[in-house]
């Protein structure tokens, strides 16, 4: 291990001891300082409460003096006689004489109210306006012998008056002759603040009524005080500001609920003196503490240093295998125990090393010890593993350590050992070994740094993992390679596509991703068996690999789907050329083992990076969409991805959601197109057509929403609704007297595959009470007979057994055998409109239509020609022997109400015209 910063133990102990002692002393000093501050603050609080109590006492004593004077006047017999006799002059003289005799406390207000007259005699000072300072209404409400504090807010400043009422009683009868009112003005008073300030021995004092100052002395008359000291509660309040103590002493509660209080300001320097004292003492204290700590640390170092030095010398001697006597016991008990433990540990280590060498010599794992790129030790297992003779380690000892490794590994191993010296290399790694006969084997090394004979060395435990690597390679192949074709599978393709896209991004150029799906591959499996299908897949895989060449990737995505990555094609023309070659190679005949020969076709989707993006998942999805577009268009072709495909996919998702809601809410409606007996000019049947107008999507063509409903499974509930509504409409027409022989409803293969279809059909026939022979179910030839999941005979026989008629729609467009017409219960053929279009000018078309009509007639099958758009076509079809015609020349699809009116008009005067509902 590389040495870092270190410090001798004795110095560390000495330093920590000194630091601890100094920190402890400082902490004690700080605690003492805080305690002194707390005591000083306590004394300040006690002083504040004492001063507040004294202020309240002085104020109360002043009021007591005034009360004594009031009671003295009230008890004067001459005043009672004057009240009885109504002698105002005598009463006035008495109270004026009493006012002039006052010395220490002067009554600012002194007046008498008789029972029958307010302010009967007023002996107040001349400046006193008794109407405001103590109005009659307040005097009438004052209880006797209690001091009250009244504030007049109508004057500026507020007039605050302390007053008391004393009744004057007739000594004989005890009746009240009147009341004498006495008091003092607090506002702008000099006497009251002066008395309080003199007793408290302060220069600054103020009286507050609530938060308003009403009187005072000194600086407090102009000084702005904090809100906490103005008109507080009935409790004493105080605060320190700078070097002064402010005390708020509550005196008396006013009639308006506000407190009359005195605020006292006095200088104080207690805290400053405490701080100055401790600041002055801190320097000497710190110096004495440091000297004491240093002396104590030196003493500790002297005690521990000697014992620790003896232990180190003893351990060094043991490490060098020298015979040495254990150190004599010292002062420290732990050091003595450590010396005994060292002796025991070194003896145990010697025994263990001897046993360990015997163990690794006989280990089944290879062991290698090397230092300075030279081999120091190998065991027999490693010799055998590398093809050397066992029992002779000298074959490798002292050789360069890299001699046992494959040449391609040696640079990496040199770097590894350099990193190991710095402590940054891994401890377990895999490496290719080189045997004596120059074979390569896979080795797993567990390496650690250890001491070998007193020197650092690399100790490696080595295992032969050649078989494990072979199994891992096999798993990797199975994980990334398709087992049937040997091509990369989807997982490996995604990895290669990601690399190709990144390469195109950094180097420029294109990357083309092609998605190929074989058309009608399921037919091969169903017709010839899975072995034939595997043979086709293998053949196509070989052809694709040959077509694109070794510089590009062909992968099997699963089933009959392949993917091709064209790396850095020159241009779009080259991509199209490769696409045509791929499709051509797919379409070549394939010989099966049973001698049969089949021809396959494929649909190819192409997307380009960076033109279409560089996200791998998006590219796969785009290639799949364009392949699906190619399959939808015609098959056996290729299509490049276009942004509109994303829009189509988004519209499809929106349409699926909206269609699901429309079916649940019954928002679709039905149109009906008449099928006319041209010879009789009579409507014999009609075809039921679903129509849908969505608030957001607008009018959606049937070809679009029917296709979406088949793909997502909504065709089942949609078909059920159409079938039930059509039967109900047919019954309503006939109940209203409108003569209609039958009605046709289209059904899809998906409905036929549904296990409950026949039960549903029976339920609808029973619920609507329709004659089964009046219902015709139309199936499309090109879909019905190409769907390998359906057995047409089974389905049509089951439907016919219910009495329902079957009609084969779009006849002539599929690839089915005409033998079906003989074997299956087909009641009607509908010749596809593609045969009728331009029929009057198409001789070949006329011949084909004539042949179908004749063939159907011989089999007893009705024929309907659909798509007749002109009167000339209708006449020509009728001349060929077909009377049942459906087309725009006769009538377009129409709503139920319009169809009712059309039916009534066509089927003659015997029909009853019903109101459309």
């Amino acid at each position: 291990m590389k040495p870092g910063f270190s410090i001798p133990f004795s110095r560390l102990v000495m330093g920590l001891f000194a630091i601890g002692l100094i920190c402890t002393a400082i902490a004690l000093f700080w605690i003492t300082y805080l305690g002194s501050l707390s005591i000083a603050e306590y004394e300040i609080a006690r002083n504040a409460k004492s001063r507040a109590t004294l202020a309240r006492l002085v104020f109360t004593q002043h009021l007591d003096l005034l009360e004594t004077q009031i009671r003295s006047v009230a008890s004067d017999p001459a005043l009672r006689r004057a009240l009885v006799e109504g002698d105002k002059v005598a009463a006035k003289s008495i109270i004026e004489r009493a006012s002039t005799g006052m010395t220490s406390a002067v009554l600012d207000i002194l007046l008498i109210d008789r029972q029958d007259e307010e302010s009967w005699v007023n002996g107040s000072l001349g400046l006193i306006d008794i109407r405001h300072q103590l109005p009659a209404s307040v005097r009438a409400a004052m209880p006797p012998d209690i001091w009250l504090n009244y504030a007049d807010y109508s004057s500026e400043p507020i007039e605050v008056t302390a007053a008391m009422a004393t009744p004057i009683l007739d000594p004989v009868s005890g009746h009240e002759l009147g009341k004498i009112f006495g008091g003092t003005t607090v506002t702008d008073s000099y006497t009251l603040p002066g008395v309080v300030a003199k007793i408290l021995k302060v220069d600054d004092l103020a009286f507050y009524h609530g938060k308003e100052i009403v009187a005072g002395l000194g600086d407090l008359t102009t000084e702005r005080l904090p809100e906490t000291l103005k008109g507080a509660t009935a409790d004493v309040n105080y605060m320190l500001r700078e070097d002064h103590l402010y005390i708020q002493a509550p005196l008396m509660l006013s009639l308006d609920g506000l407190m009359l209080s005195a605020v006292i300001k006095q200088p104080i320097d207690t805290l400053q003196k405490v701080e100055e004292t401790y600041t002055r003492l801190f320097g000497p204290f710190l110096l004495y503490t440091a000297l004491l700590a240093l002396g104590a640390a030196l003493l500790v170092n002297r005690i521990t240093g000697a014992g620790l030095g003896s232990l180190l010398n003893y351990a060094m001697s043991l490490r060098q295998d020298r015979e040495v006597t254990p150190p004599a016991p010292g002062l420290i008990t732990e050091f003595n125990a450590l010396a005994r433990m060292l002796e025991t540990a070194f003896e145990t280590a010697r025994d263990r090393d001897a046993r360990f060498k015997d163990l690794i010599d006989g280990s089944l794992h290879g062991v290698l010890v090397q230092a300075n790129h030279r081999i120091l030790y190998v065991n027999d297992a490693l010799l055998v593993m590398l093809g050397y003779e066992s029992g002779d380690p000298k074959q490798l000892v002292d050789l360069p350590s890299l001699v046992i490794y494959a040449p391609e590994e040696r640079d990496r191993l040199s770097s590894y050992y350099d990193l190991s010296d710095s402590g940054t290399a891994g401890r377990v790694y895999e490496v290719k070994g080189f045997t004596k006969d120059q074979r390569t084997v896979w080795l797993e090394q567990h390496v650690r740094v250890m001491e070998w004979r007193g020197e650092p060395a690399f100790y490696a435990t080595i295992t032969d993992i050649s078989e494990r690597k072979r199994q891992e390679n096999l798993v990797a192949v199975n994980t990334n390679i398709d087992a049937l074709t040997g091509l990369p599978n989807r997982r490996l393709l995604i990895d290669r596509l990601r690399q190709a896209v990144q390469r195109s991004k950094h180097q420029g150029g294109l990357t083309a991703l092609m998605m190929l799906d074989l058309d009608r591959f399921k037919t091969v499996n169903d017709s010839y068996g899975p072995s034939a299908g595997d043979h086709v897949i293998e053949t196509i895989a070989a052809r694709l690999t040959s077509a694109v060449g070794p510089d590009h990737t062909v992968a099997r995505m699963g089933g009959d789907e392949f993917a091709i990555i064209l790396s850095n094609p020159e241009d779009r023309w080259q991509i199209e050329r490769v696409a045509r070659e791929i499709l051509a190679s797919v379409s070549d005949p394939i010989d099966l083992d049973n001698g049969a020969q089949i021809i396959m076709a494929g649909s190819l989707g192409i997307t380009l990076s960076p033109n279409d993006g560089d996200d791998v998942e998006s590219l796969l999805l785009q290639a799949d969409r364009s392949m699906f577009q190619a399959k939808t268009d015609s098959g056996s072709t290729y299509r490049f991805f276009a942004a509109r495909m994303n829009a189509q996919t988004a519209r499809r998702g929106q349409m699926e959601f909206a269609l699901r809601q429309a079916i649940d809410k019954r928002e679709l409606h039905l149109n009906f197109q008449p099928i006319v007996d041209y010879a009789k000019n009579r409507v014999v049947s009609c075809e039921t057509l679903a129509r849908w107008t969505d608030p957001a999507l607008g009018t959606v063509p049937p070809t679009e929403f029917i296709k979406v409903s088949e793909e997502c499974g909504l065709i089942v509930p949609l078909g059920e609704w159409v079938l039930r509504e059509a039967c109900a409409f047919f019954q309503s027409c006939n109940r209203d007297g409108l003569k209609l022989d039958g009605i046709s409803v289209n059904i899809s293969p998906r409905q036929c595959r549904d296990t409950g279809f026949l039960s549903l059909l029976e339920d609808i026939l029973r619920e609507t009470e329709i004659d089964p022979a009046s219902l015709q179910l139309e199936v499309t030839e090109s879909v019905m007979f190409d769907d390998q999941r359906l057995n047409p005979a089974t389905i049509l026989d089951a439907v016919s057994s219910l009495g329902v008629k079957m009609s084969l729609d779009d006849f002539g467009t599929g690839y089915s055998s005409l033998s079906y017409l003989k074997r299956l219960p087909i009641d009607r053929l509908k010749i596809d409109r593609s045969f009728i279009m331009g029929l009057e000018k198409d001789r070949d078309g006329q011949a084909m239509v004539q042949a179908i009509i004749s063939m159907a007639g011989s089999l007893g099958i009705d024929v309907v020609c659909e798509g007749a758009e002109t009167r000339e076509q209708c006449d020509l079809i009728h001349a060929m022997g077909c009377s049942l015609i459906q087309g725009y020349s006769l009538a377009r699809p129409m709503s139920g109400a319009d169809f009712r009116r059309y039916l009534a008009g066509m089927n003659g005067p015997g029909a009853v015209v019903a109101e459309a509902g």
Side-chain angles (χ1 to χ4, degrees), residues 512-519 540 543-549 552-554 562-567 569-588 600-608 623 626-627 630 635-641:
L513 174 64
M514 299 180 173
M515 199 70 69
L516 173 70
D517 186 80
L518 300 181
D519 299 335
I540 297 297
R543 291 179 181 179
L544 293 176
T545 303
S546 176
V548 302
H552 308 290
T553 297
V554 178
F562 296 86
I564 301 99
I565 301 175
L566 298 184
S567 299
E570 294 181 1
D571 48 29
R572 187 183 176 108
W573 181 87
Q574 183 188 0
I575 297 172
E576 292 191 46
R577 179 178 58 79
V578 174
R580 288 192 292 269
E581 291 176 359
I582 289 173
L583 295 177
S585 66
V586 170
S587 63
D588 287 341
M600 300 300 298
S603 298
L604 194 64
I606 307 170
T607 187
L608 305 179
S626 52
M627 178 271 292
S636 303
T637 186
Y638 61 88
R639 289 289 182 269
F640 282 88
F641 173 77

Side-chain angles (χ1 to χ4, degrees), residues 263-283:
V263 176
I264 306 159
K265 175 183 177 182
Q266 68 179 45
I268 188 167
D269 59 354
T270 306
L271 294 178
Q272 287 86 342
K273 288 182 177 179
V274 171
E275 292 176 358
E276 290 173 1
T277 301
Y278 275 86
T279 301
R280 187 172 63 255
L281 292 176
F282 182 71

Side-chain angles (χ1 to χ4, degrees), residues 672-690:
F672 305 90
Q673 186 173 22
I675 299 175
V676 178
D677 185 336
Y678 192 70
K680 298 178 181 179
N681 196 29
R682 180 176 178 274
V683 177
V684 295
S685 184
C686 64
E687 181 178 0
T688 306
L689 304 169

Side-chain angles (χ1 to χ4, degrees), residues 87-347:
D87 188 353
K88 286 186 179 182
V89 175
K92 177 86 170 174
S93 175
I94 292 170
I95 64 176
E96 286 179 350
R97 203 167 47 247
S99 297
T100 57
M102 299 176 188
T103 57
S104 58
V106 179
L107 287 168
D108 298 330
I109 298 173
L110 189 61
L111 64 98
I112 300 173
D113 284 351
R114 285 186 64 183
Q115 293 288 345
D116 56 352
E117 183 179 355
E118 296 176 351
S119 301
W120 184 62
V121 174
N122 186 0
S124 303
L125 297 180
L127 297 177
I128 301 301
D129 185 355
I130 200 66
R131 293 173 301 170
H132 295 292
Q133 291 194 230
L134 198 65
S137 59
V138 175
R139 297 200 303 274
M142 288 178 62
D145 301 327
I146 296 176
W147 281 98
L148 295 178
N149 191 29
Y150 171 73
D152 176 27
Y153 289 93
S154 63
S155 59
E156 182 63 35
I158 300 172
E159 291 286 350
V160 178
T161 303
M164 186 184 77
T166 299
I168 303 173
L169 303 176
D170 187 337
V172 178
S173 64
H175 293 300
E176 183 179 299
L177 302 174
K179 283 185 180 180
I180 183 169
F181 296 90
T184 181
T185 299
V186 180
T187 301
D188 294 333
S189 172
Y190 292 99
T191 303
L192 186 57
V195 170
V196 177
K198 181 179 179 181
I199 299 299
L200 295 178
K201 297 180 181 180
V202 295
D203 297 328
D204 302 305
L205 184 141
F207 285 117
Y208 275 83
H209 178 74
K211 295 184 179 181
E212 298 292 332
I213 185 170
V214 295
L217 299 173
D219 295 339
L220 286 179
T221 57
T222 58
E223 186 173 347
R224 184 179 180 85
L225 294 181
E227 295 295 324
T228 56
L229 290 177
K230 294 181 180 180
T233 62
D235 297 327
V236 176
N237 195 10
Y238 71 95
M239 69 169 289
L240 285 171
R241 188 159 73 177
E242 296 178 355
D243 57 349
H244 285 84
L245 175 64
Y246 293 81
I247 305 167
Q248 180 264 333
L251 301 177
M252 178 185 292
L253 191 65
S254 299
L255 290 176
D256 57 6
L258 298 179
M259 179 65 70
L260 176 66
S261 59
V263 176
I264 306 159
K265 175 183 177 182
Q266 68 179 45
I268 188 167
D269 59 354
T270 306
L271 294 178
Q272 287 86 342
K273 288 182 177 179
V274 171
E275 292 176 358
E276 290 173 1
T277 301
Y278 275 86
T279 301
R280 187 172 63 255
L281 292 176
F282 182 71
F285 172 82
L286 188 61
L287 177 61
Y288 297 148
T289 301
L291 292 175
L292 178 62
L294 181 60
L298 289 173
L299 179 61
V300 170
N301 178 57
R302 186 172 185 82
I303 294 173
T304 60
L308 189 59
S310 298
L311 280 176
L312 289 176
N313 292 332
Y314 177 60
M316 187 65 69
S317 299
L318 290 175
R319 183 173 181 270
Q320 295 173 358
D321 290 335
R322 294 189 313 192
E323 294 293 333
V324 62
T325 303
L331 183 63
I332 301 177
T333 303
E334 287 78 5
F335 284 1
N336 298 332
L338 185 58
R340 292 191 297 271
M341 293 168 61
L342 285 175
E343 183 179 12
T344 303
F346 274 101
E347 289 297 332

Side-chain angles (χ1 to χ4, degrees), residues 35-49 238 271:
S36 299
L37 288 180
S38 298
I39 293 172
E41 289 175 354
Y42 172 77
E43 288 299 322
I44 291 172
R46 190 175 63 83
N47 178 53
K49 292 179 181 179
Y238 71 95
L271 294 178

Side-chain angles (χ1 to χ4, degrees), residues 835-846 849 867-877 880:
F835 291 96
I836 307 303
M837 188 181 303
L839 181 66
E840 62 272 27
K841 298 179 181 179
D842 185 1
R843 297 294 181 184
D844 294 336
Q846 293 176 17
V849 172
E869 297 184 354
T870 65
R871 180 64 61 178
E872 184 179 0
Q873 290 176 354
C874 293
D875 293 338
L876 184 57
I877 292 169
M880 292 180 181

Side-chain angles (χ1 to χ4, degrees), residues 474-497:
L474 184 60
V475 170
V477 168
N478 292 336
T479 302
N480 296 306
I481 301 299
D482 178 62
L484 177 62
T485 62
L487 295 177
N489 60 11
R490 181 183 183 88
R491 178 177 177 178
L492 184 55
L493 173 99
I494 290 175
D495 182 66
R496 292 189 179 179
L497 179 59

Side-chain angles (χ1 to χ4, degrees), residues 384-704:
V384 174
M385 195 181 299
L386 297 178
Y388 293 89
E389 296 178 5
S390 63
D392 185 11
K394 294 181 180 179
Q395 298 173 88
L396 291 175
V397 172
D398 288 334
L399 293 179
S401 58
L402 296 179
V403 74
I404 67 171
Y405 301 108
E408 61 269 24
E409 296 279 13
R410 293 174 183 175
D411 289 341
R412 181 167 73 94
L413 287 172
S414 296
S415 301
Y416 171 84
Y417 288 121
D418 291 338
L419 290 174
S420 296
D421 287 336
S422 62
T424 58
R427 299 183 61 184
V428 181
Y429 59 95
E430 297 175 354
V431 64
K432 292 179 182 178
F434 212 45
T435 65
K436 183 179 180 180
D437 55 2
Q438 298 184 346
R439 289 183 299 106
T440 299
V441 293
W442 273 102
L443 305 175
E444 182 179 80
Q445 295 195 155
H446 294 250
V447 181
R448 67 178 183 271
V449 179
M450 60 170 291
E451 190 175 278
W452 183 266
R453 296 175 182 172
E455 300 294 334
F458 292 103
Y459 178 91
T461 303
I462 300 175
T463 305
D464 186 346
I465 59 169
S466 300
E467 178 60 22
R468 192 184 80 190
K469 296 297 289 186
R470 189 185 70 80
Q471 294 293 334
E472 288 177 356
N473 289 335
L474 184 60
V475 170
V477 168
N478 292 336
T479 302
N480 296 306
I481 301 299
D482 178 62
L484 177 62
T485 62
L487 295 177
N489 60 11
R490 181 183 183 88
R491 178 177 177 178
L492 184 55
L493 173 99
I494 290 175
D495 182 66
R496 292 189 179 179
L497 179 59
R498 186 176 289 109
Q499 295 178 28
V501 168
Q502 291 297 322
R503 190 163 49 247
S504 297
K505 185 185 297 185
H506 295 300
Q507 299 178 2
L510 292 174
T511 294
L513 174 64
M514 299 180 173
M515 199 70 69
L516 173 70
D517 186 80
L518 300 181
D519 299 335
R520 303 176 186 275
F521 175 73
K522 190 176 185 304
T523 305
V524 177
N525 276 334
D526 293 343
S527 302
Y528 301 102
S531 297
D534 290 347
H535 176 70
V536 170
I537 293 296
E538 290 178 291
T539 303
I540 297 297
R543 291 179 181 179
L544 293 176
T545 303
S546 176
V548 302
D551 296 333
H552 308 290
T553 297
V554 178
R556 184 186 180 203
M557 304 296 282
D560 60 339
E561 191 172 4
F562 296 86
I564 301 99
I565 301 175
L566 298 184
S567 299
N568 199 25
E570 294 181 1
D571 48 29
R572 187 183 176 108
W573 181 87
Q574 183 188 0
I575 297 172
E576 292 191 46
R577 179 178 58 79
V578 174
R580 288 192 292 269
E581 291 176 359
I582 289 173
L583 295 177
S585 66
V586 170
S587 63
D588 287 341
I590 300 176
D591 296 324
L592 302 181
D593 293 339
N594 62 0
Q597 189 180 72
I598 60 173
I599 297 176
M600 300 300 298
S603 298
L604 194 64
I606 307 170
T607 187
L608 305 179
S609 177
N611 298 15
D612 299 329
D614 54 15
D615 179 69
V616 170
E617 292 298 330
S618 298
L619 292 173
L620 288 169
L621 185 61
Q622 291 165 185
D624 195 65
R625 288 176 182 169
S626 52
M627 178 271 292
F628 181 77
Q629 186 65 47
K631 188 180 287 289
T632 302
D633 288 348
S634 62
S636 303
T637 186
Y638 61 88
R639 289 289 182 269
F640 282 88
F641 173 77
R644 60 178 174 80
M645 295 181 183
N646 280 336
Q648 291 172 351
T649 302
R651 176 177 170 82
R652 183 193 178 284
Q654 183 184 5
M655 186 180 300
E656 178 181 342
F657 178 77
L659 181 59
R660 191 179 302 275
Q661 290 189 323
I663 294 173
D664 291 341
K665 298 177 180 179
R666 301 292 189 263
E667 293 177 350
L668 288 88
H669 62 278
L670 297 180
N671 278 3
F672 305 90
Q673 186 173 22
I675 299 175
V676 178
D677 185 336
Y678 192 70
K680 298 178 181 179
N681 196 29
R682 180 176 178 274
V683 177
V684 295
S685 184
C686 64
E687 181 178 0
T688 306
L689 304 169
R691 295 293 184 263
W692 178 34
T693 300
D694 182 74
L697 299 172
T699 301
V700 184
T703 54
E704 191 173 0

